[in-house]
Amino acid sequence: MNSAHRGSSMDTDGRISRISGSTVEAVGLPGARMYDVARVGHIGIMGEIIRIEKGVTTVQVYEDTSGLSVGEPVLCTGQPLGVELGPGLIGSVFDGIQRPLGALRELEGDFILRGTDVCSLDRSALWEFEPAAAEGDRVEGGDTIGIVREGGKILHRIMVPPGMEGLIQDINAGSFRIEDTVARLKDSGGKERELTLLQKWPVRIPRPCGRKIPPDRPFLTGQRILDTLFPVALGGAAIVPGGFGTGKTVVEQTLAKYAHADVIIYIGCGERGNEMTEVLQEFPELEDPQTGGSLMERTVLVVNTSNMPVAAREASIYTGITIAEYFRDMGYHVALMADSTSRWAEALREISSRLEEMPGEEGYPTYMGTRLAGFFERAGHVQTLGKEDRKGSVTVVGAISPPGGDFSEPVTQGSMRISGALWALDTSLAHRRHFPAISWTRSYSLYCDTLAPWFMEEVSEDWPEQRMNLNRMLEREKEILEMVQLVGEDAIPESQRILLLGARLIRENFLRQNAYHPVDASCSLAKQYWLLRAFLESYQVTLKALERISLENIMSLSTLSDLARLNEQPDDAFPEASREVLAKLGGEIDEMARQIALQKEALEKETAGGEAGKKEA
Amino acid sequence: MDPLLTRRSRGLMGISGPLVEIPPFPGTFPGQMVELTTGEGSVRSGQILEVARDKTTAQLFETTQGIDTDSSWVRYLPRTASLRLSREMLGRTFSGSGIPIDNMPPPIPESEKEILGSPINPVARDKPSDFIQTGISAIDLLNTLVRGQKLPIFSGSGLPSNELAVQIVRQATVVGEESDFAIIFAAMGITHRDASFFIEAFESSGALSRTVVFLNLASDPTIERILTPRMALTTAEFLAFERGMHVLVVLTDMSNYCEALREIGNAREEIPGRRGYPGYMYTDLAGNFERAGRIRGEPGSITQIPILTMPDDDITHPIADLTGYITEGQIVLSRELHRKGIFPPIDVLPSLSRLMNLGIGEGKTRADHRNLADQIYAFYARGRDLRRMEAVVGEDAMTSEDKKYLGFAREFEDSYLNQGQKGRSLAQSMDLAWDLFKGFPPAALTRIDRRWIQSYFPVEEEKETEGSQK
Ligand SMILES: Nc1ncnc2c1ncn2[C@@H]1O[C@H](COP(=O)(O)OP(=O)(O)O)[C@@H](O)[C@H]1O
Ligand SMILES: [Mg+2]
């Protein structure tokens, strides 16, 4: 029988005994194993076994359960929920359980129906395989046996799956479908193993790797406030909590566009359909800032929007991170954007409450924190498996949607404990359209110290110092503003008003960064550094100018409006642009001081002359 | 008698709130519609929520009053909740569960659909990008609505959300296009007076014959409200994606819908989420709100304007909060502006249109649109901050610069927002917006590209005012 390889449990006759939301209970499944995939009902919709108790097996079902009846069959497949890994991943759009949405649309039309089975990766596509190993080579898990060029710039390494080893018996170049055998091994037990372009991996188990590499390189985002103030390390984890409309999705999408990464895995987890459309329609047209190819050629989308089945939403982040690890294993730097992890946690909560488990805080199951940690811990910068010296990383940026924008809730708190950078979005900044609305007072990064040497080496010796100056200035501004709230700005010393002026320039033109501006959307590190220098120095210059010209004079300096547009200058205009503006500022102040001196002189003369005239009269 | 043929069973195991427990019956499935006939012969409709080997649980859309466990019969219909659809529904009025209530025969169906609907495949969606002119400056210039968007109004009790919604529906046009449009109005738990206000407004604007009305009033059964938005959106999908129309759906009041959800959750003894609302309310609301948008290759669209009432004007209340997390922005009404007599009292700071950028700019509205909106936000936000400070430190402590921003905020509210019932074209909204910058040096407009300042900054008039001051 053709389906016999699916497992002996096929023979048992499990029957549905209860249906409640997305969970289905079955009886008569003695061979059931936890987290194995089951097929539910006559139409065989997919689910995962999540509880086995007193002869009752509970299955969380990845599709809508309405229409299923008690007594319909349930079958175990004997396989855990897995993803397909191989050529064809790049540029794909999958749902939470890796069904390709494009193929699904061809089969079902514009709306997602139920019970449609599609292979994750195209079975008929042909890929050109170039061997990188030869007959007689001894290979082990992680070793590259060959290369496939996908459409874009990504070289797809075909690796020996983890846990497999052996002597290559034969290996062939040529065009292959993903299930065709490209090489044959004989393992140390003498067993023959066939290698194809396709691997499968269970999503809930991290793919193995070598040692972890300390976080000493930054994940560059092109966002000034992030790179300069709150950097995340390559292989690190950052979280972006914020109320609705504060800019989580724009942060995720902006990073997906501009961040320095070889591969982007974007998970739309329980969020809007139209946001995915934006990505899908924009990315193919945008250029990858590093390779010049299209952005879609470095992107894999996992999309399980808010109205798609909740259980598949729960699975989506595992599907995404497993794909991320696979590219990491090829030696790539992968960035995983999860928007939003809160929706994943809520899916977990919905399922747990159907199981009538004991609820913890806010109704989340007590194991939510552990699961969250398990996910974030799959980030990392690692030495990959295999004999070659390859390093790869997965950097995770998780958006969090706290109810009512209140960060004290369990998902935010739980994520804070296990991530290295907090980019806290502030509703009041968003309301005044200060974007990205990342609060410079609440956000932090634990990576600053370990990354400092890299910045000193790559950007400038005094990077930490400038960063410190920036922090001091913002801190000082905060104190002064508190004072101003009590007495008004007129009542504070002029030197402090100059600081307010300088800090405002920094907030508006350094920390603020318009994601839709053709130039400003992304900013090189060099530009960040020189912009910052320009703002900090202009503050010193204006402060000093107080000795020569009045506060009103300073406020009216026309160079201030040049400073306010300095961020619109392209990356390659720096450092000249900063030098020019500072020179202009100095010049304008000198000129103003000269004019004032002249006027004063003239006035003195006039009064002197007038007096003389009077005398004459 | 063979129960499989008649598909009827007698007797109930229990009744609790809107829920009834029925002895197990072969072949029943979640979502299946049932009809319960009481001993006295009155018929109530309901739907199965959960099936198990020992019992079936169903919710009744009508009251459980007068039902007993022994003499009731349950009839199992061979379908989930569904609706017969037809173009002829335009101009007709239905109950909250889709039954005609205008004393006319049911329209001849062209199609029948399950009201639960299916998610639009994300890859099938098309970007909404057609600017809808509503005639309201706070929306058109600052929080632009586009076709296929879901943009709710966050109201408070006693605030004029109905007036605003009606004004939007009445004035909404896509500039330069005559199109096949339809309005779907779904009322959930609102008063008769509010409902007639809408219907009269549709009538006076001549749109009633293009409107489908679903009415569940405050006096109608609460649980029926679970069906009402789904009825409306199923109709919308039919008209938009099978008949190519541009459909505008007004759902009011979503807060009453959420109350119904909470009632069922409580009756099922579920673990309640925040403030007693079910933990799955986000998913449930998303199942409704995501039924908006456009589909590639289809001419039609669904635009949603849900209205909700924030209890105690609290935007962090779960109903507003979850909605804001799902919809593509929100228009927030302010009690303070309403008290000042400003109409429409839209607080632009917490308001947002997430799809705005897709519908504006060169070739769509005007190149300076985005910049202009950003600049207004920056100045107005600063003015509002300073206003709070002024209340503490007094007017005398404000610098001359501060006073400019205070003046800006005042002018913005009193004359710009406060447009009354009169509609403005986008061009008018933009010109008036530029006028607000009089008195500021052009260099202060740092959020606006210098090119647009050159083209649009009100120079002439500035000279005039300077002249008149002298
Ligand atoms: N960096 C940015 N530059 C310009 N506009 C932004 C930026 N970030 C957010 N916005 C604006 O804020 C809106 C809401 O942002 P979004 O990321 O969708 O919020 P969230 O995901 O937190 O609900 C966007 O539609 C956009 O108009
Ligand atoms: Mg978002």
Side-chain angles (χ1 to χ4, degrees), chain A residues 186-361:
Chain A
K186 184 167 270 172
D187 69 16
S188 32
K191 230 169 92 190
E192 200 161 280
R193 317 284 295 253
E194 294 184 344
L195 291 183
T196 64
L197 303 182
L198 177 69
Q199 297 190 19
K200 288 189 187 168
W201 192 264
V203 296
R204 296 189 194 274
I205 298 174
R207 282 175 65 86
C209 58
R211 69 180 174 90
K212 288 219 169 190
I213 296 165
D216 56 3
R217 277 181 61 188
F219 167 69
L220 295 180
T221 65
Q223 306 303 299
R224 291 186 286 268
I225 186 165
L226 301 183
D227 292 344
T228 302
L229 283 180
F230 311 112
V232 60
L234 212 56
I239 57 167
V240 197
F244 61 84
T246 51
K248 298 177 293 297
T249 302
V250 175
V251 166
E252 297 275 15
Q253 291 189 356
T254 309
L255 297 202
K257 285 181 199 165
Y258 303 111
H260 289 208
D262 301 312
V263 177
I264 304 279
I265 312 293
Y266 196 103
I267 310 173
C269 175
E271 294 282 318
R272 302 178 184 84
N274 274 333
E275 288 173 348
M276 292 300 118
T277 314
E278 261 184 82
V279 173
L280 279 172
Q281 298 191 350
E282 257 182 46
F283 276 34
E285 324 246 286
L286 293 174
E287 199 172 272
D288 178 344
Q290 282 172 301
T291 64
S294 120
L295 263 189
M296 209 57 203
E297 289 167 358
R298 71 166 191 181
T299 308
V300 181
L301 289 172
V302 178
V303 177
N304 214 95
T305 55
S306 55
N307 54 339
M308 286 160 72
V310 161
R313 187 202 298 171
E314 193 277 326
S316 66
I317 66 164
Y318 296 106
T319 296
I321 201 146
T322 309
I323 298 173
E325 287 171 341
Y326 175 65
F327 284 105
R328 171 205 69 190
D329 292 345
M330 290 182 214
Y332 289 119
H333 295 298
V334 184
L336 179 133
M337 309 290 152
D339 185 11
S340 125
T341 33
S342 294
R343 304 298 169 219
W344 164 80
E346 287 167 10
L348 204 63
R349 177 171 68 185
E350 266 183 54
I351 295 160
S352 155
S353 104
R354 297 266 182 228
L355 296 179
E356 287 164 10
E357 289 174 336
M358 175 76 123
E361 211 185 333

Side-chain angles (χ1 to χ4, degrees), chain A residues 7 52 87 161 167 180 204 302 313 379 381 399 413 470 505 516 546 552 574 578 585:
Chain A
I52 304 170
L167 216 56
D180 295 340
R204 296 189 194 274
V302 178
R313 187 202 298 171
H381 188 184
Q413 289 301 316
L470 170 60
L505 272 173
Y516 303 108
L546 258 189
E552 276 67 43
F574 290 84
S578 286
L585 183 68

Side-chain angles (χ1 to χ4, degrees), chain A residues 19 45 56 278 300 317 353 366 380 405 487 561 586:
Chain A
I19 307 158
I45 60 182
V56 178
E278 261 184 82
V300 181
I317 66 164
S353 104
T366 44
V487 298
S561 73

